[in-house]
Amino acid sequence: MSPDLLSFDHPLTRLVVGLLCVFAFVGLNGLVLVWVERKVAGHVQLRPGPLHVGPYGLLQPIVDAVKLVGKQLAMPAGADKYLYWAAPLLAFAPVTVCFLPLPFDPDLAPMRLNIGLVLILAFSGLGVLSLILAGWGSNNKWGLLGAARAVAQSVAYEVPLLLAVMSVAITAGSLDLYEITGKQGGWPWQWYGVQNPLAFFIFLVCAVAETNRAPFDLPEAESELTAGFHTEYSGMGFGLFFLAEYANMIVVSGVAAALFLGGWQGPFMSGILWFLVKVYAILLLMIWMRWTYPRVRFDQLLNLSWKWLTPLAIIDLALVVIIKGIGG
Amino acid sequence: MSVSELFEEARTGLKSLFVGLGITGKAFCQPQVTVIYPKEEVDNLSTFRGHVELVGKEDDPSVPRCVACGACVKACPSDCLTILCPVPAKEGQEDAPVVMGPAPQKGSKTPGAVIVDFSLCSLCGQCAKTCPVDSLRFSDNPYMVALDRKEFRIDLMARLKRQAEEE
């Protein structure tokens, strides 16, 4: 007999509870990351960052969120109504699915899938569709240019990203994030990121590019495209894109932690704490990079992917296959 | 570009990324220099560039060192300085009222009026740099507020006199 719908063993119940927890996690992390981003930016520029609203400016992101929610939702004349409003929802929805296969803890993986990695890659690929719809549906030339850039960038960086991920999947012999994490140990030299630093490096660069973070934030490049694909969005239309960007960052950091840094495993006290520490270390690195590097030019961006990262990733993958073949 | 050059460029480029991270990482750990203004104020304003002001003579601080040569007026790229000197009277008209004209004027070694229009000034410092007798320097008043741009036409001679009296 199939388990009762209200019991936690029922897959649907698990899915709903998991999704609710993911929504809460994403929302909370969005608030925290906005604050961290502004504080890091401040300290890098030798200024304090937000500081008047609440102690250390801690309430600033909440105030920002209230302001965003309170703004009128406007749509430009001549815009494609359905595409225009579908885009922000489409930006946010797939990201939440990407959280489901992430193993936070040996006992806390919302959904264990033997193809978890493929699921994440497939659904994160949907993100670019939302950028195209937003740019196209806005009836705005900056939005359209931003969308065109988003496609070229996303396609270019998906290739080395997949190759880097594949080398780890081949090493571990699995596509299940839970299993890949389990094959690594608690100490740094047992991590795939240390055993295969090239793949880790390629993954990090591609992750920054795929999440449209500076220095690869060309789809929204405010200096040349005002705001790129989200130029016309106000209030929570923009807010959802914004939240999706942070959610995307957490997903790629989570995948990086699981694939390359041993996930929940630590030298002592293995558990969710280690996972979160690793995820936040990568997030901090991404924020640190944003406030260090200038935005690249578009030909430089494409050159980096096609001329360097893709060949390097292929070489790395070949080496991994050869070593795996010799080792049996 | 040869292959070795390509790899050399990639190597230096990659290195520069880490150097950049090092610089911002160091800045992250340094104490902040921004002051939360109405609550705190800074006192070391010696390097602040306010509008230019005249430097007084050592024996008489109310008289500027300026020799009315007009070099600063010539050097100023935004035409914000005006120096007026008495125009020498023509022969037979010595009793006529004194007319002021732009510096330099023949025979006049002291300025009649030095006026800076701070609303035009770009604070480049060319005037102070070209002054042969070091009679111009930057003032250190960061709190200049006015409702009308005409109020930024500052009479530097009057200002120097006021400063000398206060001391």
Short mmCIF file of all heavy atoms in Angstrom, two decimals, chain B residues 15-58:
data_model
loop_
_atom_site.label_atom_id
_atom_site.label_comp_id
_atom_site.label_asym_id
_atom_site.label_seq_id
_atom_site.Cartn_x
_atom_site.Cartn_y
_atom_site.Cartn_z
N LYS B 15 47.92 36.32 -13.13
CA LYS B 15 48.60 36.83 -11.94
C LYS B 15 47.94 38.13 -11.50
O LYS B 15 47.74 38.36 -10.30
CB LYS B 15 50.07 37.06 -12.27
CG LYS B 15 50.93 37.29 -11.03
CD LYS B 15 52.37 37.53 -11.42
CE LYS B 15 53.01 38.46 -10.41
NZ LYS B 15 54.08 39.27 -10.98
N SER B 16 47.60 38.98 -12.48
CA SER B 16 47.02 40.28 -12.13
C SER B 16 45.70 40.11 -11.38
O SER B 16 45.35 40.91 -10.52
CB SER B 16 46.81 41.13 -13.38
OG SER B 16 45.70 40.65 -14.11
N LEU B 17 44.97 39.03 -11.71
CA LEU B 17 43.71 38.79 -11.00
C LEU B 17 43.96 38.58 -9.52
O LEU B 17 43.25 39.11 -8.66
CB LEU B 17 43.01 37.56 -11.58
CG LEU B 17 42.49 37.66 -13.01
CD1 LEU B 17 41.72 36.41 -13.37
CD2 LEU B 17 41.60 38.87 -13.17
N PHE B 18 44.99 37.79 -9.19
CA PHE B 18 45.27 37.52 -7.79
C PHE B 18 45.82 38.77 -7.09
O PHE B 18 45.54 39.01 -5.92
CB PHE B 18 46.24 36.34 -7.66
CG PHE B 18 45.58 35.04 -7.99
CD1 PHE B 18 45.76 34.43 -9.21
CD2 PHE B 18 44.72 34.43 -7.07
CE1 PHE B 18 45.12 33.25 -9.53
CE2 PHE B 18 44.08 33.25 -7.36
CZ PHE B 18 44.27 32.65 -8.60
N VAL B 19 46.64 39.54 -7.83
CA VAL B 19 47.15 40.80 -7.26
C VAL B 19 45.98 41.71 -6.89
O VAL B 19 45.91 42.29 -5.81
CB VAL B 19 48.11 41.50 -8.25
CG1 VAL B 19 48.46 42.89 -7.76
CG2 VAL B 19 49.36 40.68 -8.45
N GLY B 20 44.99 41.78 -7.82
CA GLY B 20 43.81 42.61 -7.57
C GLY B 20 43.05 42.16 -6.35
O GLY B 20 42.67 42.97 -5.50
N LEU B 21 42.86 40.84 -6.25
CA LEU B 21 42.16 40.32 -5.07
C LEU B 21 42.92 40.66 -3.80
O LEU B 21 42.33 40.95 -2.76
CB LEU B 21 41.99 38.80 -5.19
CG LEU B 21 40.85 38.29 -6.06
CD1 LEU B 21 40.78 36.79 -6.01
CD2 LEU B 21 39.52 38.87 -5.63
N GLY B 22 44.26 40.62 -3.90
CA GLY B 22 45.08 40.95 -2.74
C GLY B 22 44.87 42.38 -2.29
O GLY B 22 44.73 42.65 -1.09
N ILE B 23 44.80 43.27 -3.27
CA ILE B 23 44.66 44.70 -2.93
C ILE B 23 43.30 44.96 -2.26
O ILE B 23 43.23 45.57 -1.19
CB ILE B 23 44.80 45.56 -4.21
CG1 ILE B 23 46.25 45.52 -4.70
CG2 ILE B 23 44.39 47.00 -3.93
CD1 ILE B 23 46.45 46.09 -6.06
N THR B 24 42.23 44.44 -2.86
CA THR B 24 40.92 44.68 -2.25
C THR B 24 40.78 43.92 -0.94
O THR B 24 40.13 44.39 -0.02
CB THR B 24 39.79 44.27 -3.21
OG1 THR B 24 40.09 43.01 -3.77
CG2 THR B 24 39.58 45.27 -4.30
N GLY B 25 41.43 42.74 -0.87
CA GLY B 25 41.37 41.98 0.38
C GLY B 25 42.04 42.75 1.50
O GLY B 25 41.55 42.78 2.64
N LYS B 26 43.16 43.41 1.18
CA LYS B 26 43.86 44.20 2.18
C LYS B 26 42.98 45.39 2.60
O LYS B 26 42.88 45.71 3.78
CB LYS B 26 45.19 44.69 1.61
CG LYS B 26 46.36 44.55 2.57
CD LYS B 26 47.62 45.11 1.98
CE LYS B 26 48.41 44.06 1.24
NZ LYS B 26 49.50 44.65 0.42
N ALA B 27 42.37 46.02 1.59
CA ALA B 27 41.50 47.17 1.89
C ALA B 27 40.34 46.74 2.79
O ALA B 27 39.90 47.49 3.65
CB ALA B 27 40.95 47.77 0.59
N PHE B 28 39.86 45.51 2.59
CA PHE B 28 38.75 45.00 3.39
C PHE B 28 39.11 44.98 4.87
O PHE B 28 38.27 45.22 5.74
CB PHE B 28 38.40 43.59 2.91
CG PHE B 28 37.21 43.00 3.59
CD1 PHE B 28 35.94 43.33 3.17
CD2 PHE B 28 37.36 42.13 4.66
CE1 PHE B 28 34.83 42.79 3.79
CE2 PHE B 28 36.25 41.60 5.29
CZ PHE B 28 34.98 41.93 4.85
N CYS B 29 40.39 44.68 5.16
CA CYS B 29 40.81 44.55 6.56
C CYS B 29 41.25 45.88 7.16
O CYS B 29 41.46 45.97 8.37
CB CYS B 29 41.94 43.55 6.67
SG CYS B 29 41.52 41.95 5.98
N GLN B 30 41.45 46.90 6.32
CA GLN B 30 41.92 48.17 6.86
C GLN B 30 40.77 48.94 7.52
O GLN B 30 39.60 48.73 7.15
CB GLN B 30 42.49 49.04 5.73
CG GLN B 30 43.92 48.69 5.40
CD GLN B 30 44.36 49.28 4.07
OE1 GLN B 30 43.57 49.91 3.37
NE2 GLN B 30 45.59 49.04 3.73
N PRO B 31 41.10 49.80 8.48
CA PRO B 31 40.02 50.61 9.06
C PRO B 31 39.45 51.56 8.02
O PRO B 31 40.17 52.04 7.15
CB PRO B 31 40.72 51.38 10.18
CG PRO B 31 42.16 51.35 9.84
CD PRO B 31 42.39 50.09 9.08
N GLN B 32 38.14 51.81 8.11
CA GLN B 32 37.51 52.69 7.12
C GLN B 32 37.94 54.14 7.33
O GLN B 32 38.29 54.52 8.44
CB GLN B 32 36.01 52.57 7.22
CG GLN B 32 35.47 53.20 8.48
CD GLN B 32 34.18 52.56 8.92
OE1 GLN B 32 33.91 51.42 8.63
NE2 GLN B 32 33.40 53.31 9.65
N VAL B 33 37.95 54.90 6.25
CA VAL B 33 38.37 56.30 6.37
C VAL B 33 37.17 57.24 6.31
O VAL B 33 37.29 58.41 6.63
CB VAL B 33 39.37 56.67 5.26
CG1 VAL B 33 40.70 56.02 5.50
CG2 VAL B 33 38.84 56.32 3.90
N THR B 34 36.01 56.74 5.93
CA THR B 34 34.83 57.60 5.85
C THR B 34 34.38 57.99 7.25
O THR B 34 34.39 57.19 8.16
CB THR B 34 33.69 56.86 5.14
OG1 THR B 34 34.18 56.35 3.92
CG2 THR B 34 32.53 57.77 4.88
N VAL B 35 33.98 59.24 7.38
CA VAL B 35 33.50 59.74 8.65
C VAL B 35 31.99 59.95 8.53
O VAL B 35 31.51 60.43 7.50
CB VAL B 35 34.20 61.08 8.98
CG1 VAL B 35 33.60 61.72 10.21
CG2 VAL B 35 35.67 60.86 9.18
N ILE B 36 31.26 59.54 9.55
CA ILE B 36 29.80 59.72 9.50
C ILE B 36 29.54 61.18 9.80
O ILE B 36 29.50 61.58 10.97
CB ILE B 36 29.11 58.82 10.54
CG1 ILE B 36 29.75 57.45 10.60
CG2 ILE B 36 27.62 58.72 10.25
CD1 ILE B 36 29.71 56.66 9.34
N TYR B 37 29.34 62.00 8.76
CA TYR B 37 29.57 63.44 8.86
C TYR B 37 28.86 64.21 10.00
O TYR B 37 29.56 64.76 10.84
CB TYR B 37 29.34 64.13 7.53
CG TYR B 37 29.19 65.61 7.67
CD1 TYR B 37 30.21 66.35 8.26
CD2 TYR B 37 28.04 66.25 7.28
CE1 TYR B 37 30.08 67.70 8.44
CE2 TYR B 37 27.92 67.61 7.45
CZ TYR B 37 28.92 68.33 8.04
OH TYR B 37 28.78 69.66 8.22
N PRO B 38 27.56 64.24 10.10
CA PRO B 38 27.06 65.17 11.12
C PRO B 38 27.48 64.78 12.53
O PRO B 38 27.59 65.63 13.40
CB PRO B 38 25.54 65.09 10.96
CG PRO B 38 25.28 64.30 9.75
CD PRO B 38 26.48 63.50 9.46
N LYS B 39 27.75 63.48 12.73
CA LYS B 39 28.14 63.05 14.07
C LYS B 39 29.62 63.27 14.34
O LYS B 39 30.02 63.52 15.47
CB LYS B 39 27.82 61.56 14.24
CG LYS B 39 26.33 61.27 14.25
CD LYS B 39 26.09 59.78 14.34
CE LYS B 39 24.63 59.48 14.05
NZ LYS B 39 24.45 58.10 13.60
N GLU B 40 30.42 63.13 13.30
CA GLU B 40 31.86 63.31 13.47
C GLU B 40 32.36 64.29 12.41
O GLU B 40 31.76 64.40 11.34
CB GLU B 40 32.61 61.99 13.21
CG GLU B 40 32.47 60.94 14.27
CD GLU B 40 33.06 59.63 13.78
OE1 GLU B 40 34.31 59.56 13.67
OE2 GLU B 40 32.31 58.71 13.45
N GLU B 41 33.47 64.96 12.75
CA GLU B 41 34.08 65.84 11.75
C GLU B 41 35.57 65.57 11.73
O GLU B 41 36.13 65.16 12.74
CB GLU B 41 33.81 67.31 12.10
CG GLU B 41 32.40 67.74 11.77
CD GLU B 41 32.13 69.17 12.20
OE1 GLU B 41 33.09 69.92 12.41
OE2 GLU B 41 30.94 69.51 12.36
N VAL B 42 36.20 65.81 10.59
CA VAL B 42 37.65 65.63 10.54
C VAL B 42 38.31 66.97 10.84
O VAL B 42 37.75 68.03 10.60
CB VAL B 42 38.10 65.11 9.15
CG1 VAL B 42 37.68 63.69 8.96
CG2 VAL B 42 37.55 65.98 8.04
N ASP B 43 39.54 66.91 11.41
CA ASP B 43 40.21 68.17 11.72
C ASP B 43 41.48 68.37 10.89
O ASP B 43 41.97 69.48 10.79
CB ASP B 43 40.53 68.25 13.21
CG ASP B 43 41.09 66.95 13.74
OD1 ASP B 43 41.46 66.09 12.91
OD2 ASP B 43 41.18 66.80 14.97
N ASN B 44 42.00 67.30 10.26
CA ASN B 44 43.22 67.50 9.48
C ASN B 44 42.87 67.88 8.04
O ASN B 44 42.85 67.08 7.13
CB ASN B 44 44.08 66.23 9.49
CG ASN B 44 43.32 65.03 8.98
OD1 ASN B 44 42.10 65.01 9.06
ND2 ASN B 44 44.03 64.07 8.44
N LEU B 45 42.58 69.18 7.89
CA LEU B 45 42.13 69.64 6.58
C LEU B 45 43.26 70.28 5.77
O LEU B 45 43.02 70.96 4.79
CB LEU B 45 41.01 70.65 6.74
CG LEU B 45 39.67 70.04 7.15
CD1 LEU B 45 38.72 71.11 7.59
CD2 LEU B 45 39.08 69.25 6.01
N SER B 46 44.53 70.03 6.19
CA SER B 46 45.63 70.72 5.54
C SER B 46 45.73 70.32 4.06
O SER B 46 46.23 71.08 3.25
CB SER B 46 46.94 70.40 6.26
OG SER B 46 47.11 69.01 6.32
N THR B 47 45.28 69.14 3.71
CA THR B 47 45.38 68.71 2.32
C THR B 47 44.10 69.00 1.54
O THR B 47 44.00 68.64 0.37
CB THR B 47 45.67 67.21 2.23
OG1 THR B 47 44.71 66.52 3.01
CG2 THR B 47 47.06 66.89 2.71
N PHE B 48 43.13 69.63 2.19
CA PHE B 48 41.86 69.89 1.52
C PHE B 48 42.02 71.02 0.51
O PHE B 48 42.73 71.99 0.75
CB PHE B 48 40.79 70.26 2.56
CG PHE B 48 39.43 70.49 1.95
CD1 PHE B 48 38.64 69.44 1.57
CD2 PHE B 48 38.96 71.78 1.76
CE1 PHE B 48 37.40 69.65 1.01
CE2 PHE B 48 37.73 72.00 1.19
CZ PHE B 48 36.94 70.93 0.82
N ARG B 49 41.37 70.87 -0.64
CA ARG B 49 41.43 71.92 -1.66
C ARG B 49 40.13 72.70 -1.65
O ARG B 49 39.16 72.30 -2.27
CB ARG B 49 41.64 71.30 -3.03
CG ARG B 49 43.08 70.93 -3.31
CD ARG B 49 43.21 70.54 -4.76
NE ARG B 49 44.63 70.40 -5.10
CZ ARG B 49 45.08 70.38 -6.33
NH1 ARG B 49 44.25 70.49 -7.35
NH2 ARG B 49 46.37 70.25 -6.56
N GLY B 50 40.12 73.81 -0.93
CA GLY B 50 38.99 74.71 -1.03
C GLY B 50 39.30 75.72 -2.13
O GLY B 50 40.24 75.53 -2.91
N HIS B 51 38.56 76.81 -2.19
CA HIS B 51 38.88 77.85 -3.17
C HIS B 51 40.23 78.47 -2.82
O HIS B 51 40.69 78.35 -1.69
CB HIS B 51 37.78 78.91 -3.20
CG HIS B 51 37.64 79.63 -1.91
ND1 HIS B 51 38.45 80.67 -1.54
CD2 HIS B 51 36.79 79.44 -0.87
CE1 HIS B 51 38.11 81.10 -0.35
NE2 HIS B 51 37.10 80.37 0.09
N VAL B 52 40.84 79.15 -3.79
CA VAL B 52 42.16 79.74 -3.49
C VAL B 52 42.00 80.96 -2.59
O VAL B 52 40.96 81.61 -2.58
CB VAL B 52 42.91 80.15 -4.78
CG1 VAL B 52 43.53 78.95 -5.42
CG2 VAL B 52 42.00 80.91 -5.72
N GLU B 53 43.05 81.24 -1.84
CA GLU B 53 43.05 82.44 -1.01
C GLU B 53 44.44 83.08 -1.12
O GLU B 53 45.40 82.44 -1.55
CB GLU B 53 42.71 82.10 0.44
CG GLU B 53 43.71 81.19 1.11
CD GLU B 53 43.36 80.86 2.54
OE1 GLU B 53 42.25 81.24 2.97
OE2 GLU B 53 44.18 80.26 3.23
N LEU B 54 44.50 84.34 -0.72
CA LEU B 54 45.77 85.07 -0.81
C LEU B 54 46.62 84.80 0.43
O LEU B 54 46.09 84.55 1.51
CB LEU B 54 45.51 86.57 -0.92
CG LEU B 54 44.96 87.06 -2.27
CD1 LEU B 54 44.49 88.49 -2.14
CD2 LEU B 54 46.03 86.94 -3.34
N VAL B 55 47.94 84.85 0.22
CA VAL B 55 48.86 84.72 1.35
C VAL B 55 49.38 86.11 1.69
O VAL B 55 49.80 86.85 0.81
CB VAL B 55 50.04 83.79 0.96
CG1 VAL B 55 50.98 83.61 2.14
CG2 VAL B 55 49.52 82.46 0.47
N GLY B 56 49.33 86.46 2.97
CA GLY B 56 49.75 87.79 3.38
C GLY B 56 51.26 87.89 3.54
O GLY B 56 51.96 86.88 3.63
N LYS B 57 51.74 89.13 3.54
CA LYS B 57 53.17 89.34 3.77
C LYS B 57 53.50 89.01 5.22
O LYS B 57 52.63 89.11 6.10
CB LYS B 57 53.54 90.80 3.49
CG LYS B 57 53.63 91.10 2.01
CD LYS B 57 54.02 92.55 1.81
CE LYS B 57 54.13 92.84 0.33
NZ LYS B 57 54.07 94.28 0.04
N GLU B 58 54.78 88.66 5.47
CA GLU B 58 55.13 88.25 6.82
C GLU B 58 55.07 89.41 7.80
O GLU B 58 54.61 89.26 8.94
CB GLU B 58 56.52 87.62 6.83
CG GLU B 58 56.44 86.10 6.66
CD GLU B 58 57.79 85.46 6.54
OE1 GLU B 58 58.70 85.90 7.25
OE2 GLU B 58 57.91 84.51 5.75
#
